[in-house]
């Protein structure tokens, strides 16, 4: 049975080349690339270190460091919305990666459906890598805000690291240079403009999907 499958693949897909047919059958596209696994491992490692550091810092009594000020505690709470926004972006990237992987398994041309990545510059691997590094960056900013709150190293009155993270996210989203999923970012901006003028224009599937995600 195995030889018959190789013969069929070689005959109809590989121009009679049995070696190429065996390689095609052996390399299933559901696996992640080596660079993706390395980047995700490094990012997850940094995130775990930051999480452990955060638990250690929070376990230290305020009385051993400085007097506890309730107003400062609420000033950190004011930055939680920014961290929640960052976490939402991470969840959206991971969910998009999972959905595109399932679409590829069912042989759906998802770049054509979403009208992004037609030049093969966008892939599920890149979604996961960017989500992992964004989560790491958010964890570093959280730990930095908590350290500043408890140790008052820079004498800051506001949690500036959270606002710095929000500023970086906005700058990366609007950056015109070709890195960090530029084709996807440009596509989302164009689709949002199409969604805004939807009552007076033609809608496609990608516009409807983006509008559905924004209103969910």
């Amino acid at each position: 049975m195995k030889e018959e499958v190789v013969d069929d693949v070689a005959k109809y897909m590989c121009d009679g080349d049995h070696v190429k047919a065996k390689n095609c059958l052996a390399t299933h596209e559901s696996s992640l690339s080596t660079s993706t696994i390395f980047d995700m491992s490094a990012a997850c490692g940094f995130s775990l270190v930051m999480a452990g550091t955060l638990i250690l810092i929070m376990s230290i009594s305020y009385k051993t460091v400085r007097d506890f000020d309730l107003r400062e505690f609420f000033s950190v709470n004011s930055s939680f919305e920014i961290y929640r926004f960052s976490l939402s972006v991470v969840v959206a990237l991971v969910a998009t990666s999972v959905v595109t992987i399932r679409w590829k398994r069912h042989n759906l041309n998802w770049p054509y459906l979403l009208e992004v990545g037609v030049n093969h510059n966008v892939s599920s691997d890149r979604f996961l890598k960017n989500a992992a590094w964004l989560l790491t960056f958010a964890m570093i900013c959280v730990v930095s805000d908590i350290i500043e709150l408890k140790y008052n190293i820079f004498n800051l009155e506001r949690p500036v690291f959270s606002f710095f993270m929000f500023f970086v996210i906005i700058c990366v989203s609007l950056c015109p240079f070709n890195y960090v999923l530029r084709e996807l970012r440009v596509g989302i901006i164009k689709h949002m403009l199409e969604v805004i003028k939807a009552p007076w224009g033609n809608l496609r599937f990608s516009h409807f999907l983006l509008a559905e995600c924004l209103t969910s």
Side-chain angles (χ1 to χ4, degrees):
M1 183 65 182
K2 181 178 179 181
E3 294 180 357
E4 293 179 358
V5 173
V6 174
D7 291 338
D8 290 337
V9 173
K11 180 178 180 181
Y12 296 104
M13 299 178 61
C14 301
D15 298 328
D17 190 346
H18 286 72
V19 176
K20 186 177 180 180
K22 291 180 181 180
N23 294 332
C24 181
L25 292 172
T27 56
H28 199 278
E29 66 173 338
S30 60
S31 60
L32 297 176
S33 62
T34 304
S35 62
T36 301
I37 295 175
F38 176 79
D39 287 347
M40 291 183 61
S41 300
C44 291
F46 280 119
S47 298
L48 289 176
V49 171
M50 291 296 104
T53 305
L54 180 61
I55 295 174
L56 178 63
I57 294 174
M58 294 299 293
S59 63
I60 300 176
S61 174
Y62 276 90
K63 294 181 180 179
T64 60
V65 180
R66 56 180 299 194
D67 294 333
F68 177 75
D69 191 347
L70 189 61
R71 291 175 298 179
E72 293 175 348
F73 178 76
F74 282 111
S75 69
V76 173
N77 282 344
S78 65
S79 65
F80 285 169
E81 296 295 331
I82 298 178
Y83 291 127
R84 187 174 66 175
F85 168 75
S86 303
L87 183 61
S88 300
V89 175
V90 172
V91 173
L93 289 173
V94 173
T96 304
S97 176
V98 173
V99 170
T100 53
I101 289 174
R102 294 185 63 87
W103 282 354
K104 284 196 300 184
R105 289 180 179 177
H106 290 83
N107 296 323
L108 291 176
N109 191 359
W110 66 269
Y112 175 78
L113 292 176
L114 301 182
E115 300 182 23
V116 296
V118 293
N119 296 324
H120 304 286
N121 293 326
V122 180
S123 63
S124 57
D125 294 1
R126 296 187 65 185
F127 288 133
L128 290 177
K129 287 194 291 187
N130 285 277
W133 285 115
L134 177 58
L135 179 61
T136 302
F137 184 51
M139 290 295 299
I140 293 174
C141 291
V142 169
V143 172
S144 300
D145 275 336
I146 298 299
I147 290 176
E148 176 60 26
L149 169 67
K150 300 194 70 172
Y151 293 93
N152 197 21
I153 299 175
F154 301 105
N155 295 320
L156 301 176
E157 297 181 357
R158 294 290 180 180
V160 296
F161 293 100
S162 60
F163 296 102
F164 172 72
M165 181 182 65
F166 181 75
F167 175 76
V168 170
I169 292 176
I170 296 299
C171 290
V172 171
S173 301
L174 301 177
C175 180
F177 300 107
N178 189 17
Y179 68 97
V180 192
L181 301 174
R182 185 185 69 170
E183 189 172 354
L184 177 65
R185 293 185 282 109
V186 173
I188 290 176
I189 294 175
K190 290 181 178 179
H191 288 6
M192 290 183 67
L193 295 177
E194 293 292 336
V195 169
I196 293 175
K197 65 176 185 180
W200 303 277
N202 296 324
L203 282 180
R204 295 188 293 273
F205 175 77
S206 57
H207 304 154
F208 170 78
L209 182 61
L210 178 61
E212 181 69 21
C213 294
L214 294 175
T215 55
S216 298

